[in-house]
Amino acid sequence: MGRALRNIFVAGCVLLWLIPLYLLIVNALTPAGGYTGTPDWAPRGFAILDNLHIAWSEAGIGQSFLVSLLYSVVCGAVAVLVAAMAAFAVVVLPVPRPAFWFWLIYSGTLFPLQMFLAPLFGLYADADLYDTRLGLMLVYVAWAAPFAFFLIRNQMTTMPPEITEAAMLDGASFRRIFWRIHVPLMSSGLGAAFIFQFAAVWNDLLLGITLSRSPEVQPVMAALMTLNSAYSSSGPPVILAGALIVSVPTLLVFLLFRGLFLRGVTAIAR
């Protein structure tokens, strides 16, 4: 009985996820001029290529797509590297009060992002970082690093301290221990942390609309919101086609690296 209820619950969750996806795809197929104003449950045409072309080229999703890809890959990788170094310092290095440093870094995930927007906007305006790619990349790294630090630190605490002690007896420096021992042993956890941060940066809207306005700087979620207002007269099919474009990278990352992600989550949750 319990297993049947669990299966029914899982099937319901799957349906709740698949129904909006089905409606998105079906209505993205509809010609923009033939949209009636109500969602279609069955395809009424095959204008997906035209809608994708309008969203990618004429509405500028393509440029923002490539910019967001840059932000997600570079900022996600840098955030994971910084988090791994911070976790190594807190767990392995003989720093005073490691618990204090852990909570100081982890506190970056505890406060709502909205409370930082006003001072961050003023700081960026004064420092000429507003509406620049460098400015967005800096804030994305700072925003993503605390949670990555939490994940990596959890895995690093499970590693036997005898490994570090043996390496130190052989004369290895802390830098060598980090790069030659800890990084290879934590490769799955680092990969899982990168996937989390890639998705977080890719899906960001709040920082994108607050700290940028130019099409060549705006991330893709901000461009999708602009598409919603600029092409509202064309009907939802063009906007839904843009949403399809935006959803592809995170879906591909999880599908291609699902094995690495599952191994990393398992290692972190031990």
Side-chain angles (χ1 to χ4, degrees):
M1 183 65 178
R3 185 174 183 179
L5 290 176
R6 184 171 64 249
N7 291 337
I8 293 173
F9 174 75
V10 172
C13 292
V14 172
L15 283 177
L16 287 175
W17 186 84
L18 288 179
I19 290 174
L21 178 63
Y22 171 79
L23 287 173
L24 186 150
I25 295 174
V26 167
N27 287 274
L29 294 171
T30 304
Y35 189 74
T36 59
T38 58
D40 293 319
W41 287 88
R44 297 179 58 251
F46 192 80
I48 183 66
L49 296 180
D50 294 335
N51 294 334
L52 288 174
H53 174 73
I54 294 173
W56 180 270
S57 300
E58 298 182 21
I61 286 286
Q63 186 177 23
S64 297
F65 182 96
L66 298 177
V67 171
S68 264
L69 198 60
L70 171 69
Y71 293 156
S72 301
V73 173
V74 174
C75 298
V78 173
V80 169
L81 176 61
V82 172
M85 291 180 175
F88 182 80
V90 170
V91 176
V92 178
L93 296 184
V95 296
R97 299 180 180 178
F100 167 78
W101 293 109
F102 165 76
W103 285 108
L104 180 66
I105 299 172
Y106 180 61
S107 64
T109 66
L110 301 179
F111 300 101
L113 186 61
Q114 290 83 349
M115 67 182 295
F116 300 108
L117 291 181
L120 191 61
F121 179 84
L123 174 65
Y124 267 49
D126 294 338
D128 292 329
L129 288 173
Y130 177 75
D131 199 31
T132 64
R133 292 182 181 179
L134 176 61
L136 274 179
M137 293 175 77
L138 289 175
V139 75
Y140 280 145
V141 171
W143 173 53
F147 184 68
F149 164 78
F150 173 74
L151 297 177
I152 297 168
R153 182 257 182 192
N154 284 352
Q155 183 184 4
M156 196 173 292
T157 55
T158 65
M159 299 176 63
E162 291 80 10
I163 297 176
T164 303
E165 295 171 0
M168 293 180 65
L169 288 175
D170 290 338
S173 63
F174 283 120
R175 180 183 301 177
R176 189 178 182 87
I177 293 172
F178 175 75
W179 288 109
R180 295 297 182 89
I181 298 177
H182 283 73
V183 169
L185 290 176
M186 295 189 307
S187 58
S188 58
L190 296 175
F194 172 77
I195 292 173
F196 273 118
Q197 304 318 313
F198 178 93
V201 175
W202 182 268
N203 292 322
D204 169 68
L205 172 65
L206 190 58
L207 291 171
I209 62 176
T210 303
L211 301 177
S212 66
R213 65 169 182 265
S214 302
E216 63 272 12
V217 177
Q218 271 191 337
V220 71
M221 291 299 172
L224 186 62
M225 189 188 70
T226 303
L227 174 65
N228 188 19
S229 58
Y231 282 80
S232 58
S233 60
S234 300
V238 173
I239 301 169
L240 294 176
L244 278 177
I245 296 173
V246 168
S247 63
V248 167
T250 50
L251 183 62
L252 284 179
V253 166
F254 277 102
L255 289 178
L256 293 176
F257 301 103
R258 61 186 181 277
L260 174 64
F261 178 75
L262 292 175
R263 290 195 303 271
V265 170
T266 302
I268 291 169
R270 285 177 183 173

